[in-house]
């Protein structure tokens, strides 16, 4: 679709720093100022969410930047209500930019009489008048099929690969990419291919949710610098235990690259005291003060990638081109200069 107007950004309260960073990157790309649309998103005394958009959006191509992270229900409702406000204000197209898609872990029925909440959320988003979704590293890629609207699922692997190649440039031959469970092998293999490293797996067996009964390393990690790759780190129990198991199996160092740093409950304290040398996360979820203050947690930006994806969506050009490191390298120029 040919672009007739400038893209316009609006943000909820879930991750204002990321929204502003995306606007700054788009300003650089466009050679003109791109600002967030002025609006107020607030709560009444009974915690009802109210949205008022102060600018004219009639006929505009709108992008709502709102991860549905903690508090998931509040942030989801903000997204839906902003979309309704824009739809009733005659916006031409509404794209939901959801860096972290909450409820994604409820993507199937694990036992009798349980919901598939990810499908319910997809229905809510579609019914709110949103025309397209742009997200990052869905927990299960088949969630794209839950939507009856187009979904572009970006991947953190190319950005992580750039970071790994820069950070470990003096010892690339010693690297071993590790999946913390069998279900994440495809995600780990993707990074391993990009950095030309071998792959190992930590097989875990759970007795019940939240508890890990046994972990076994599949593959020889002796003398290796291990890089654990996953999409979500919540309480960090599995991650820290996997790091210990790898060190016991002969690894020299363990680092982790996790897309979405949920980091709830005791997670930050566990990571601070872990044998892991570093945990690298993206800014898809706004970091708490505790996360920013932890020396072995590092945050890589997603704003350059999201800014380009928004511009490509607006222009009607390929978003999948951002899956390639060759495309992302100039976008991240300066951050990973050799």
């Amino acid at each position: 679709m040919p672009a007739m107007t400038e893209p316009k950004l609006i943000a909820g309260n879930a991750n204002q720093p990321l929204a502003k960073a995306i606007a700054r990157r788009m300003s650089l790309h466009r050679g003109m100022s791109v600002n967030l649309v002025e609006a107020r998103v607030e709560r009444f005394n009974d915690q009802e969410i109210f949205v008022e958009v102060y600018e004219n959006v009639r006929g505009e191509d709108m992008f709502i930047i709102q991860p549905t992270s903690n508090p998931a229900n509040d942030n989801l409702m903000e997204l839906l209500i902003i979309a309704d406000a824009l739809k009733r204000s005659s916006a031409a197209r509404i794209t939901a930019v959801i860096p972290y898609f909450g409820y994604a872990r409820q993507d199937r029925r694990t036992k009798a009489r349980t919901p598939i909440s990810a499908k319910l959320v997809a229905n809510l988003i579609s019914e709110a008048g949103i025309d397209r979704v742009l997200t990052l590293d869905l927990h299960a890629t088949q969630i794209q099929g839950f939507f009856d609207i187009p979904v572009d699922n970006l991947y953190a692997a190319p950005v992580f690969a750039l970071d790994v190649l820069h950070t470990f440039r003096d010892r690339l031959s010693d690297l071993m990419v590790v999946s913390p469970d069998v279900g994440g092998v495809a995600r780990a293999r993707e990074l391993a291919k990009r950095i030309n490293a071998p792959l190992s797996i930590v097989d875990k067996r759970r007795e019940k949710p939240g508890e890990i009964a046994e972990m076994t390393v599949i593959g020889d990690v002796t003398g290796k610098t291990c890089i654990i790759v996953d999409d979500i780190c919540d309480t960090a129990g599995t991650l820290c235990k996997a790091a210990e198991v790898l060190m016991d199996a002969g690894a020299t160092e363990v680092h982790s690259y996790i897309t979405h740093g949920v980091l709830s409950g005791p997670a930050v304290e566990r990571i601070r005291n872990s044998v892991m040398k570093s945990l690298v996360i993206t800014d898809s979820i706004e970091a708490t003060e505790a996360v920013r203050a932890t020396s072995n947690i590092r945050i890589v930006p997603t704003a350059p990638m999201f800014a380009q994806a928004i511009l490509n969506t607006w222009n009607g050009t390929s978003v999948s081109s951002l899956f390639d490191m060759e495309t992302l390298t100039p976008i991240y120029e300066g951050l990973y200069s050799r």
Side-chain angles (χ1 to χ4, degrees):
M1 183 178 72
M4 302 299 293
T5 61
E6 291 294 318
K8 285 199 170 184
L9 310 180
I10 189 170
N13 294 314
N15 197 338
Q16 282 277 331
L18 176 58
K20 292 173 182 176
I22 291 172
R24 286 195 299 270
R25 292 294 306 197
M26 288 179 63
S27 298
L28 290 173
H29 288 309
R30 300 289 297 150
M32 58 189 294
S33 180
V34 177
N35 297 310
L36 298 175
V37 167
E38 286 194 38
R40 66 181 174 121
V41 182
E42 61 181 36
R43 282 161 179 73
F44 294 138
N45 290 335
D46 63 355
Q47 298 305 301
E48 282 186 10
I49 296 167
F50 176 74
V51 172
E52 182 178 5
V53 181
Y54 292 132
E55 298 180 27
N56 178 27
V57 297
R58 184 180 296 274
E60 300 286 359
D61 196 355
M62 299 299 305
F63 294 84
I64 309 171
I65 302 170
Q66 177 78 343
T68 52
S69 49
N70 184 35
N73 298 333
D74 286 358
N75 289 331
L76 175 60
M77 282 303 298
E78 276 190 17
L79 172 65
L80 300 177
I81 293 171
I82 292 170
D84 188 70
L86 295 174
K87 180 182 178 183
R88 295 178 188 280
S89 302
S90 302
R93 183 174 68 167
I94 302 170
T95 300
V97 181
I98 310 175
Y100 171 70
F101 184 80
Y103 286 100
R105 285 175 282 183
Q106 298 185 45
D107 62 320
R108 63 194 184 281
R109 296 185 68 192
T110 56
K111 57 182 72 173
R113 297 176 295 282
T114 57
I116 305 179
S117 302
K119 171 57 177 170
L120 173 62
V121 171
N123 289 345
L124 290 170
I125 288 172
S126 299
E127 289 300 317
I130 291 168
D131 300 296
R132 190 178 199 96
V133 170
L134 178 62
T135 188
L136 174 68
D137 267 355
L138 283 170
H139 182 63
T141 55
Q142 64 265 25
I143 291 174
Q144 295 171 88
F146 292 176
F147 289 87
D148 294 323
I149 56 177
V151 176
D152 288 311
N153 182 34
L154 299 176
Y155 297 99
V159 181
F160 283 165
L162 288 174
D163 191 274
V164 169
L165 292 173
H166 175 74
T167 304
F168 302 96
R169 57 187 178 276
D170 298 328
R171 43 181 167 148
L172 293 175
S173 60
D174 295 334
L175 298 183
M176 170 78 81
V177 175
V178 179
S179 173
D181 54 44
V182 175
V185 169
R187 184 177 293 105
R189 185 185 294 120
E190 182 64 27
L191 179 63
K193 285 168 55 180
R194 291 176 185 274
I195 65 173
N196 194 28
L199 178 67
S200 179
I201 303 168
V202 175
D203 179 40
K204 67 172 182 279
R205 299 182 183 181
R206 292 184 189 269
E207 294 294 334
K208 58 183 179 180
E211 289 189 6
I212 302 167
E214 182 183 352
M215 278 189 164
T216 305
V217 178
I218 302 173
D220 184 9
V221 299
T222 305
K224 295 290 188 180
T225 297
C226 290
I227 297 176
I228 301 174
V229 180
D230 209 352
D231 63 323
I232 296 173
C233 177
D234 193 345
T235 60
T238 298
L239 188 65
C240 293
K241 179 64 175 176
E244 291 174 11
V245 170
L246 289 167
M247 291 297 290
D248 291 342
T252 55
E253 287 183 5
V254 178
H255 302 261
S256 296
Y257 280 76
I258 311 292
T259 307
H260 306 296
V262 176
L263 302 180
S264 58
V268 174
E269 187 65 25
R270 283 174 173 170
I271 292 163
R272 187 181 294 123
N273 299 323
S274 170
V275 297
M276 274 189 304
K277 295 279 285 187
S278 70
L279 167 64
V280 179
I281 58 175
T282 74
D283 56 358
S284 62
I285 297 172
E286 184 176 359
T288 62
E289 191 60 42
V291 170
R292 289 193 292 268
T294 302
S295 59
N296 60 341
I297 298 180
R298 186 160 55 86
I299 302 171
V300 297
T302 57
M305 179 169 59
F306 274 114
Q308 190 62 55
I310 288 170
L311 287 171
N312 288 8
T313 301
W314 167 68
N315 276 321
T317 54
S318 171
V319 172
S320 62
S321 63
L322 297 175
F323 300 166
D324 297 327
M325 289 169 60
E326 291 76 12
T327 305
L328 284 178
T329 299
I331 295 174
Y332 278 82
E333 186 178 5
L335 187 61
Y336 298 119
S337 55
R338 300 297 290 270

